[in-house]
Amino acid sequence: MMSTLNLNKNSFTVDTSIWEAINDCTLPDKKEEDWRYMKWGKLKKLEFHGDFPIQTENFSELNLPKLTGPVIVIENGKLNEKLSSIPNHKELTITFENDDISFQKSSYFDSLNNLLVSEYLNIKVGENYVFKECINIVNILSSSNGFVNSRIAFKIAKNANISVNQFFIKSNNTSNGLLNHQNLIELEEHSGITINKYQDTDNNFQFCKDVINQKDESKYISNNFSSSGKVIRNDIQVKVEGEHCHTELNGIFSPSNNEFIDNHTLIDHIYPNCKSYENYKGLIKSNGVGVFNGKVIVEQDAQQIEAYQQNNNILLDEDAIIYSKPELEIYADDVKCSHGSTTGQFDDEALFYLRSRGLSRASALQHLTLGFVNEIMDTIKDENHKDFILNKILAN
Amino acid sequence: METILKIENLHCQVQDQEILKGLNLEIKKGEVHAIMGPNGSGKSTLSSVLAGKEDYEITKGKIIYQNEDISELSPEERSWNGMFLAFQYPVEIPGVSNINFLRTALNEKNKALGKDQISAKDFLKMVSEKSALVGLDNKLKNRSVNEGFSGGEKKRNEIFQMAMLDPTLSILDETDSGLDIDALKIVSDGVNTLKSKENATIVITHYQRLLDYIVPDFVHVLYDGRIVKSGDKNLALELEERGYDWLKLEPAI
């Protein structure tokens, strides 16, 4: 039987033709390689609704660090004007645009995002413009059983550079909501973007896809921290379409209590002389399930590529599960590539050593946890954001 | 003098194998006791069980430390009460800063004892004072715990931590292993400086060499889980000369 999400038709204000197209899409099957580890849980059994009010009045309702710089709050897919402070620069324009992308049937969540997003956020950075502050984008899910689709397009012109802290959170008591988000990022020659993603949606579901196109000498850095979510599925797909590019994917994911966090990444090296670094760390607690499936393709003409990929996991409890699948596909003959995966527990000797010096068991475990994620935390330059994430890791 | 540690008829097993088989030992303030013995006699088991390592099950007997049976205490509680184990093989812990963890250790100890937290200034002063004692390189203090340290640096780091924690009872497990003669002198000088009338030291060692530098008041021979002979420092010299074989024939005392 083909399966689809159970969507409450009356709550979605869409044309009949769109509704028919939606009904035409089917959820991916476990037989598909990219979805073989998927734990759908309750997702297929719940009924989801569309169209929700904006109701968050102030930041104190949300579990966020202190935000400095521009703030864009997107609640249930729409702009929360009250909480947002959007800068007005000639070189940095942030606008909502009508979606005029013509529909092409693709995978389920891509198709539905395409069909259901009527306005997307368009962030354009002009040539040579380097924005020193961090742009904060807060995606809030505040509707239980809501199905929310949102999309952001980033267009970074030549020599321009920005940093973004992107939060995916829920407001109090929101549960069983489903957020389907896309970031589409275009990096022109010698431009750069750093995205620090933070996902803490607790009792909700999240599908998040980033599609990146890199031109010559561009730099893309993604620091992905997935703290909690009933289901989180991240797809990051980088097409490196230029020479001398830098691509860096870092991640920490920490599923616990029956949560499922799945990271699928793809770096496609098409041109020569590029470097890519990927480093993901999993901290799996109680009966949480984690997935790392990272794939690096080095195409035939992409000589002199350096591509490094690493995934290390700590299983904190007996019922914790990790599926780790590092993949390299190399068609060029003059490259430096490596990939590796380790899974284990914290070293009992190290734990005893620290305790014998007077650290409580809890404190010793905290130190070992920090030691484990340290090299990834060091890649986050924004100290506020870093502290916030560290505290979150330790509180888990 | 006041007794710090009294071990009575201690039986201990690891994974169902009995290693200590009725060990007795009494240590008073101001004393240095050396424990020697051949491989597999139970020396490291003794240090682990004293420090409270899990997996080491006490099946019989008692460990009385400062008039309290500590058999059920966690490693950290023993540390807060003034026990310190210098490891034979100090563990490398990547990503954990040597200094940060030590500061946490001191503060947790102070908290447990109802004392104030140590200020950053006092802490740094203490660090520079105590590291000078064993000539620990400044760079090593800020690195990850023991990561990439040479054998000698690891042992210096152990004695540096011992100096920082100011223990009442120190157990030095094969502290001389992996040390050249210069490092051995530095480490021994550090230990001797820390020695006082108020604390005591147990030196576990294979070789008599270390005891030229850290001079013991008593020497005990551990064999097959029991102390089979005790004496003064001359016993160590005799062992050096004759080996352990001659003792095995004598009945336990």
Side-chain angles (χ1 to χ4, degrees):
Chain A
M1 199 190 97
M2 294 294 194
S3 62
T4 57
L5 289 177
N6 181 3
L7 303 178
N8 178 298
K9 185 181 175 184
N10 297 330
S11 64
F12 289 86
T13 46
V14 291
D15 296 344
T16 317
S17 61
I18 290 185
W19 193 254
E20 280 170 4
I22 289 172
N23 279 331
D24 226 21
C25 302
T26 52
L27 282 167
D29 193 278
K30 268 211 170 226
K31 284 179 201 142
E32 292 173 40
E33 184 61 26
D34 274 352
W35 294 88
R36 60 183 289 196
Y37 307 115
M38 188 65 198
K39 251 180 77 178
W40 294 101
K42 280 204 299 184
L43 195 69
K44 289 184 179 177
K45 297 192 186 96
L46 291 167
E47 187 188 45
F48 293 101
H49 296 247
D51 287 336
F52 294 93
I54 287 166
Q55 48 204 11
T56 306
E57 297 273 325
N58 51 59
F59 282 110
S60 60
E61 297 171 44
L62 307 167
N63 178 18
L64 283 174
K66 192 173 172 291
L67 303 177
T68 51
V71 180
I72 304 158
V73 178
I74 302 171
E75 181 169 354
N76 301 328
K78 299 187 192 90
L79 180 71
N80 181 324
E81 282 184 60
K82 195 180 169 202
L83 293 183
S84 300
S85 54
I86 300 180
N88 190 8
H89 294 286
K90 202 172 94 212
E91 303 295 348
L92 172 65
T93 58
I94 299 174
T95 52
F96 274 88
E97 307 280 335
N98 283 326
D99 183 16
D100 52 3
I101 300 168
S102 60
F103 176 64
Q104 287 174 323
K105 199 174 169 190
S106 51
S107 69
Y108 187 81
F109 290 98
D110 287 0
S111 295
L112 266 64
N113 191 284
N114 201 321
L115 291 164
L116 287 168
V117 171
S118 52
E119 277 189 331
Y120 68 94
L121 186 67
N122 195 18
I123 299 182
K124 279 172 115 167
V125 190
E127 271 188 33
N128 304 318
Y129 188 70
V130 176
F131 190 62
K132 292 275 190 297
E133 288 180 289
C134 230
I135 301 170
N136 298 286
I137 302 173
V138 184
N139 294 70
I140 311 173
L141 199 55
S142 69
S143 46
S144 289
N145 290 82
F147 180 35
V148 171
N149 287 270
S150 57
R151 189 188 316 140
I152 304 176
F154 296 87
K155 295 191 177 76
I156 320 294
K158 272 185 194 171
N159 305 321
N161 200 308
I162 58 166
S163 292
V164 176
N165 290 333
Q166 188 171 31
F167 301 89
F168 294 91
I169 53 171
K170 50 116 205 179
S171 67
N172 295 339
N173 304 323
T174 303
S175 66
N176 294 329
L178 168 54
L179 179 64
N180 181 23
H181 180 85
Q182 292 191 348
N183 288 328
L184 307 178
I185 302 171
E186 285 173 29
L187 290 165
E188 293 299 329
E189 282 84 1
H190 200 259
S191 69
I193 189 169
T194 299
I195 295 197
N196 299 313
K197 209 184 277 173
Y198 170 77
Q199 299 169 304
D200 192 11
T201 42
D202 203 18
N203 234 343
N204 298 279
F205 305 89
Q206 193 188 147
F207 292 78
C208 194
K209 182 166 187 171
D210 292 39
V211 179
I212 300 95
N213 271 294
Q214 284 189 258
K215 292 277 161 53
D216 283 339
E217 293 175 32
S218 62
K219 192 169 184 178
Y220 169 65
I221 300 175
S222 158
N223 296 314
N224 212 100
F225 174 51
S226 312
S227 173
S228 79
K230 195 172 269 181
V231 168
I232 295 179
R233 162 74 184 223
N234 291 317
D235 280 277
I236 300 181
Q237 300 176 352
V238 190
K239 213 171 196 177
V240 191
E241 289 182 307
E243 290 195 45
H244 302 287
C245 291
H246 175 106
T247 308
E248 191 176 327
L249 309 180
N250 302 304
I252 299 171
F253 53 106
S254 57
S256 61
N257 302 322
N258 222 10
E259 291 177 338
F260 175 79
I261 301 182
D262 181 340
N263 298 289
H264 267 70
T265 66
L266 172 67
I267 300 172
D268 188 2
H269 284 291
I270 304 166
Y271 282 81
N273 299 309
C274 294
K275 289 181 181 170
S276 68
Y277 306 87
E278 180 164 22
N279 194 355
Y280 270 72
K281 304 231 180 196
L283 274 164
I284 327 287
K285 208 174 176 183
S286 61
N287 55 352
V289 180
V291 177
F292 172 80
N293 191 156
K295 186 171 188 172
V296 177
I297 303 175
V298 181
E299 306 210 4
Q300 202 164 5
D301 295 333
Q303 301 294 354
Q304 303 276 321
I305 293 290
E306 285 184 37
Y308 306 102
Q309 187 193 61
Q310 186 68 34
N311 169 230
N312 305 103
N313 307 292
I314 296 283
L315 302 180
L316 291 160
D317 292 287
E318 268 187 27
D319 295 331
I321 295 176
I322 178 76
Y323 298 98
S324 177
K325 190 178 165 204
E327 292 179 89
L328 271 179
E329 266 180 41
I330 304 174
Y331 301 99
D333 54 16
D334 183 16
V335 298
K336 273 189 213 165
C337 295
S338 71
H339 64 172
S341 168
T342 66
T343 295
Q345 288 87 42
F346 281 133
D347 179 7
D348 281 341
E349 272 297 305
L351 191 61
F352 173 57
Y353 185 84
L354 294 175
R355 292 178 74 190
S356 82
R357 301 291 140 98
L359 262 62
S360 65
R361 190 186 153 80
S363 169
L365 281 171
Q366 283 195 348
H367 275 77
L368 292 176
T369 304
L370 289 182
F372 178 64
V373 298
N374 196 28
E375 59 177 342
I376 291 186
M377 296 311 299
D378 280 348
T379 62
I380 301 176
K381 299 286 175 273
D382 181 337
E383 291 295 326
N384 256 340
H385 194 75
K386 191 171 171 170
D387 287 347
F388 174 71
I389 288 177
L390 272 182
N391 285 328
K392 196 73 202 176
I393 292 171
L394 295 182
N396 268 357
Chain B
M1 284 302 274
E2 195 183 321
T3 298
I4 288 185
L5 181 75
K6 194 165 188 204
I7 302 175
E8 292 173 6
N9 190 30
L10 186 66
H11 291 249
C12 170
Q13 63 181 35
V14 186
Q15 291 168 342
D16 293 335
Q17 198 190 347
E18 192 168 53
I19 310 280
L20 299 182
K21 303 170 180 173
L23 188 141
N24 294 291
L25 186 65
E26 184 170 354
I27 295 176
K28 295 193 168 73
K29 276 188 176 175
E31 294 177 349
V32 175
H33 288 243
I35 294 178
M36 301 181 74
N39 287 329
S41 58
K43 299 193 299 294
S44 282
T45 297
L46 176 62
S47 64
S48 294
V49 78
L50 285 176
K53 193 170 185 180
E54 284 160 4
D55 317 334
Y56 287 74
E57 194 194 342
I58 296 174
T59 49
K60 214 175 176 184
K62 281 180 189 165
I63 305 172
I64 311 288
Y65 172 72
Q66 295 186 321
N67 301 320
E68 186 194 356
D69 187 348
I70 58 162
S71 313
E72 296 299 319
L73 294 188
S74 66
E76 57 269 33
E77 287 169 315
R78 297 180 198 209
S79 169
W80 299 335
N81 289 335
M83 283 178 75
F84 182 88
L85 169 64
F87 280 49
Q88 179 178 6
Y89 303 109
V91 188
E92 295 194 16
I93 313 179
V96 176
S97 145
N98 211 17
I99 284 298
N100 285 350
F101 117 76
L102 204 49
R103 188 162 177 208
T104 313
L106 271 175
N107 278 333
E108 289 201 24
K109 179 180 180 175
N110 285 347
K111 195 175 153 199
L113 300 178
K115 290 189 194 163
D116 287 340
Q117 305 274 293
I118 187 165
S119 74
K121 197 181 150 205
D122 289 348
F123 177 74
L124 288 176
K125 197 177 151 210
M126 196 170 161
V127 166
S128 77
E129 240 175 66
K130 306 295 182 188
S131 57
L133 205 65
V134 285
L136 190 71
D137 194 316
N138 237 324
K139 279 176 248 147
L140 298 180
K141 289 180 291 195
N142 294 310
R143 286 235 301 262
S144 292
V145 181
N146 295 321
E147 195 188 27
F149 287 29
S150 71
E153 286 164 348
K154 282 179 183 168
K155 295 298 169 81
R156 286 184 202 207
N157 194 25
E158 292 295 279
I159 306 305
F160 162 63
Q161 293 182 40
M162 173 176 154
M164 291 293 289
L165 294 167
D166 188 23
T168 309
L169 177 66
S170 306
I171 304 144
L172 310 180
D173 190 2
E174 308 264 2
T175 291
D176 51 334
S177 69
L179 290 186
D180 58 35
I181 215 71
D182 293 331
L184 185 64
K185 273 183 195 160
I186 292 165
V187 164
S188 307
D189 285 348
V191 173
N192 288 329
T193 313
L194 297 172
K195 213 163 69 179
S196 81
K197 284 180 185 158
E198 294 304 312
N199 60 30
T201 313
I202 299 175
V203 182
I204 294 173
T205 182
H206 249 77
Y207 301 107
Q208 189 273 335
R209 186 180 71 157
L210 177 67
L211 305 180
D212 285 338
Y213 299 96
I214 305 172
V215 181
D217 301 296
F218 300 93
V219 174
H220 310 277
V221 180
L222 185 60
Y223 179 73
D224 194 23
R226 271 181 289 255
I227 286 175
V228 293
K229 194 169 181 66
S230 295
D232 61 14
K233 62 181 178 185
N234 292 317
L235 176 59
L237 292 169
E238 196 177 353
L239 289 168
E240 185 78 358
E241 200 163 307
R242 297 175 64 187
Y244 292 105
D245 280 349
W246 60 282
L247 286 164
K248 294 176 188 173
L249 302 169
E250 293 183 10
I253 50 168

